[in-house]
Amino acid sequence: MKVGEIFTAERIVMGGTGFRYAPVRLTGEVALLSSETIELEPGKCGAPEIQRFTFQCLRPGKAEIQFARFRSFEMDTVIFEEVLPFTVEAATDNQLAALGGWSPFEAVSPEDRLVFRKAMEGFVGVKYEPEKVSKQIVNGVNFRFFCYGHPAVQGEHTFPAIVKIYVAPGGEAHITEIQRVVL
């Protein structure tokens, strides 16, 4: 694996059983970008489903991922898989700058904050605070901001999320997607 590389891990679960997988160990410079459940036979009760987890390598070094299978109503029967160790290698500048390739997540610059603020103008209900940013050069620039969302409700209810923003050449910044990060 190289810095900036995005990869997925999939697990199959039987629908209706209550079993789910979750990454329970994530060490090194690897980030969980998203998770989703895909029905293999939509509408069919009890059909198998795929849980897909998407990760990105952030920095060089050793990393580990471990998944656990569990039922939320039966936490005393958690089954831990083996730890998957791997090494993240440094990417060359040419690999990172390649058209269509995502950069690793890095600190948010003042210019990045301006793009984020412009795209979020008029957005209500949740205030997002950008922590890190990753960019992809296409016909324009795609941004992925790792944020913490603060919903406009009483109490402390922050959650991690990825806010995706696109800026066309010479155009305005606009939100293309907001994904809540589910751990």
Side-chain angles (χ1 to χ4, degrees):
M1 304 263 175
K2 293 196 181 291
V3 169
E5 188 173 336
I6 295 175
F7 63 97
T8 60
E10 296 181 344
R11 300 292 183 269
I12 296 176
V13 293
M14 293 306 294
T17 63
F19 282 107
R20 289 285 172 240
Y21 283 90
V24 292
R25 181 179 185 143
L26 192 60
T27 64
E29 294 292 336
V30 176
L32 175 64
L33 299 180
S34 66
S35 65
E36 63 181 327
T37 301
I38 302 160
E39 293 181 14
L40 293 177
E41 298 177 44
K44 185 175 179 186
C45 187
E49 301 172 334
I50 293 177
Q51 278 190 270
R52 180 177 294 148
F53 302 92
T54 304
F55 301 92
Q56 183 174 27
C57 300
L58 304 178
R59 305 259 185 277
K62 299 214 179 285
E64 296 176 327
I65 297 175
Q66 181 182 31
F67 289 92
R69 181 176 179 246
F70 65 96
R71 287 184 181 176
S72 60
F73 54 86
E74 208 173 48
M75 294 306 289
D76 57 332
T77 60
V78 175
I79 299 171
F80 293 93
E81 292 184 354
E82 285 188 43
V83 175
L84 305 169
F86 59 98
T87 301
V88 178
E89 300 172 3
T92 66
D93 289 340
N94 289 342
Q95 289 169 321
L96 292 177
L99 185 65
W102 284 97
S103 72
F105 278 91
E106 55 193 24
V108 180
S109 72
E111 294 82 16
D112 298 332
R113 285 196 191 281
L114 182 61
V115 167
F116 187 82
R117 267 199 317 270
K118 291 278 190 191
M120 299 301 285
E121 282 179 1
F123 190 84
V124 296
V126 178
K127 179 182 178 190
Y128 290 96
E129 293 291 332
E131 299 286 325
K132 299 282 185 179
V133 65
S134 174
K135 300 173 195 168
Q136 179 188 41
I137 301 170
V138 289
N139 185 15
V141 181
N142 286 318
F143 292 82
R144 288 186 305 192
F145 288 93
F146 175 78
C147 302
Y148 283 100
H150 304 272
V153 296
Q154 192 172 20
E156 188 64 29
H157 299 284
T158 62
F159 58 89
I162 300 290
V163 176
K164 297 179 182 180
I165 295 172
Y166 173 69
V167 180
E172 294 288 316
H174 66 275
I175 301 167
T176 58
E177 184 179 8
I178 298 177
Q179 281 184 320
R180 191 170 183 158
V181 176
V182 180
L183 302 175

